[in-house]
């Protein structure tokens, strides 16, 4: 894994002059979690699936390329439009080479579950960050189901999946709150004999369950327990991916913490397992009004009207952590702006994301003048203004965009290092942020 100290100065840099607030209307790109799943499920469905709103970011494009390599005909139309000629469950062909999934934990973990019982071999690799991330969390339950999956030393990628079509259902008590682990097991369960059951310790995003239903699969959910019967066939469908609430979060935070901001975010996915960021910001005093609520493809969608004010520090309720797990980098910035102290606990999963996000945010915000102490499972942040300086994103898309938003509460300029991976989830971020009010310039790093 890339650590807070190992980042080299390559790739793009964000240079930011202080800015005061955010205004106007922003439409963020499609949801990354749903974009991955739309490709995976369309590829193994029977018939032609049409997807619109697909995120054309590097992560989801790697998933698309993976299925092309396994014989699925996939056509790309206009922006965000993808047509998949599904091959049906069990009709994929082995990829000629190892499958490269870039920076994407979702791509690797879900694909491993999906392929585990499909009777084709595959080797999955990724970039420096992904090849440092823990995979034992999926290999353990999948092995219990009868899959044979090799890992690198310490349970990290590359993953080598051996041919197997004899998986058996298990009842799995997941030790960590992880939609990726839950999804990997449920997807393997599609090819297992019997009914696979997963119990979670906390609510995690349920896009797998919802989208599979859209493909005609019977998935049952009862509280923190999800079950799937093996041997079901997916039927092609048409689906629209809404805007990614995780990409919206940078703008929600930026506008909420700056008096004078008035921002409308349109077409944002409002799945209740993802809206923790709104709840947390509201507890900090933010004004976020949900308008024009509607539903697209089994997922709630809305427009969000944000007005800026001075936020106040809070103790973040632990039950909201899994509902906002990807939004903590930007929430740390909100806390750095707030009046008083913010305490985050129960968020140790942040340490095994694209980077150790507790460490990277604490180091970066400290370098920008914040009063922040990292703890094993979170941080204690005393809010105020920032002085500016240089923050190293360590190649993590979400820390990079969060540090960019810090320019709204900084008296001096900010430089954010190692920003190439912003393209994994939010192509066009700098341009959209510039239009909304950041003074941001994207430049190549000078060696
Ligand atoms: C995701 C689940 C989350 C999240 C990731 C996307 C998904 O990871 O952090 O960005 O699409 O299922 P975990 O399930 O490991 O927490």
């Amino acid at each position: 894994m890339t650590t807070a100290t190992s980042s080299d100065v390559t790739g793009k840099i964000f240079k930011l002059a202080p800015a005061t607030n955010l205004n106007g209307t922003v439409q963020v790109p499609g949801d990354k979690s749903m974009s991955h799943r739309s490709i995976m499920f369309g590829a193994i469905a029977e018939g032609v699936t049409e997807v619109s709103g697909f995120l054309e970011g590097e992560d989801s494009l790697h998933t698309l390329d993976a299925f092309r390599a396994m014989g699925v005909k996939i056509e790309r139309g206009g922006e965000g439009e993808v047509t998949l000629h599904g091959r049906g469950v069990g009709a994929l062909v082995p990829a000629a080479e190892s499958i490269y999934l870039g920076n994407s934990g979702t791509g690797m973990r879900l694909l491993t579950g999906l392929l585990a019982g499909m009777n084709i071999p595959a080797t999955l690799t990724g970039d420096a960050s992904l090849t440092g991330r823990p995979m034992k969390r999926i290999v353990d339950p999948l092995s219990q189901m009868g899959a044979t999956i090799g890992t690198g030393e310490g349970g990290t990628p590359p993953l080598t999946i051996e041919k197997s079509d004899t998986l058996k259902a298990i009842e799995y008590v997941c030790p960590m709150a992880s939609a990726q682990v839950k999804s990997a097991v449920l997807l393997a369960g599609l090819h297992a004999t019997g009914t696979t059951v997963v119990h979670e310790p906390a609510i995690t995003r349920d896009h797998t369950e919802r989208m599979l239903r859209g493909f005609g699969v019977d998935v049952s959910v009862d509280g923190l327990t999800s079950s799937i019967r093996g041997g079901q066939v997916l039927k092609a469908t048409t689906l629209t991916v809404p805007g990614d609430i995780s990409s919206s979060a940078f703008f929600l935070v930026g506008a909420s913490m700056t008096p004078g901001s008035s921002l409308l975010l349109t077409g944002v996915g409002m799945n209740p397992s993802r809206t923790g960021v709104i709840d947390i910001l509201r507890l900090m005093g933010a004004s976020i009004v949900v308008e024009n609520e509607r539903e697209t493809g089994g997922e709630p969608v809305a427009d969000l009207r944000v007005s800026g004010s001075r936020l106040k520090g809070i103790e973040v309720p632990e039950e909201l952590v899994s509902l906002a797990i990807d939004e903590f980098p930007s929430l740390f910035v909100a806390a750095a702006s707030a009046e008083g102290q913010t305490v985050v606990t129960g968020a140790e999963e942040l340490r095994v994301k694209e980077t150790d996000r507790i460490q990277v945010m604490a180091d970066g915000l400290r370098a920008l003048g914040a009063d922040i102490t990292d703890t094993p499972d979170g941080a204690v942040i005393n809010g105020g203004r920032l002085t500016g300086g240089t923050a190293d994103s360590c190649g993590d898309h979400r820390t990079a965009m969060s540090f960019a938003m810090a320019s709204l509460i900084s008296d001096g300029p900010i430089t954010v290092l190692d920003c190439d991976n912003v393209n994994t989830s939010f192509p066009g971020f700098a341009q959209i942020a510039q239009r909304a009010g950041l003074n941001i310039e994207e430049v190549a790093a000078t060696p």
Side-chain angles (χ1 to χ4, degrees), residues 33 37 106 177-180 205 325-326 353:
S33 292
R37 288 162 172 82
T106 306
S178 168
Q180 294 180 354
R205 64 194 68 194
I325 194 65
D326 287 343
K353 295 296 178 188

Side-chain angles (χ1 to χ4, degrees), residues 18 29 100 239 339 376 379 412:
Y100 180 75
L239 64 97
E339 210 173 318

Side-chain angles (χ1 to χ4, degrees), residues 31-34 36-37 105-107 109-110 133 137 176-183 204-205 207-208 246 274 322 325-326 349 352-354 357 397-398:
D31 187 273
K32 182 153 72 73
S33 292
M34 282 184 249
H36 282 294
R37 288 162 172 82
T106 306
R109 296 198 177 109
L110 269 59
R133 294 183 68 184
R137 51 177 59 198
M176 70 286 290
S178 168
Q180 294 180 354
V181 176
K182 170 181 65 175
S183 300
T204 65
R205 64 194 68 194
H207 303 302
T208 297
S246 297
R274 298 281 299 280
S322 66
I325 194 65
D326 287 343
E349 276 292 302
V352 290
K353 295 296 178 188
E354 285 82 330
R357 287 184 173 157
H397 55 136
R398 299 206 195 282

Side-chain angles (χ1 to χ4, degrees), residues 108 123-126 130-136 139 149-161:
M108 182 165 288
T123 300
L124 310 185
T125 67
L130 184 54
T131 47
R133 294 183 68 184
M135 292 297 149
K136 203 170 160 325
V139 172
I149 302 166
T151 68
E153 236 173 82
T156 54
L159 298 184
T160 46
I161 304 163

Side-chain angles (χ1 to χ4, degrees), residues 30-55:
D31 187 273
K32 182 153 72 73
S33 292
M34 282 184 249
S35 293
H36 282 294
R37 288 162 172 82
S38 69
I39 298 296
M40 294 183 187
F41 302 166
I44 63 162
E46 286 180 352
V48 178
T49 290
E50 305 276 2
V51 181
S52 56
F54 176 77
L55 169 66

Side-chain angles (χ1 to χ4, degrees), residues 21-26 248 250-256 260-265 287 289 304-308 405 435-437:
N21 47 41
L22 296 180
N23 287 284
T25 301
V26 166
S248 307
F250 307 106
F251 292 91
L252 285 173
V253 163
S256 292
S261 285
S262 173
L263 195 71
L264 182 68
L265 289 154
S287 163
V289 179
L304 303 177
R305 194 173 290 280
V306 196
S307 311
M405 287 296 161
R435 274 202 299 279

Side-chain angles (χ1 to χ4, degrees), residues 222-240:
D222 180 10
L224 293 173
T225 300
S226 307
S227 319
I228 193 164
R229 204 176 59 255
Q232 298 188 64
V233 170
L234 281 72
K235 291 183 202 71
T237 187
T238 298
L239 64 97
T240 302

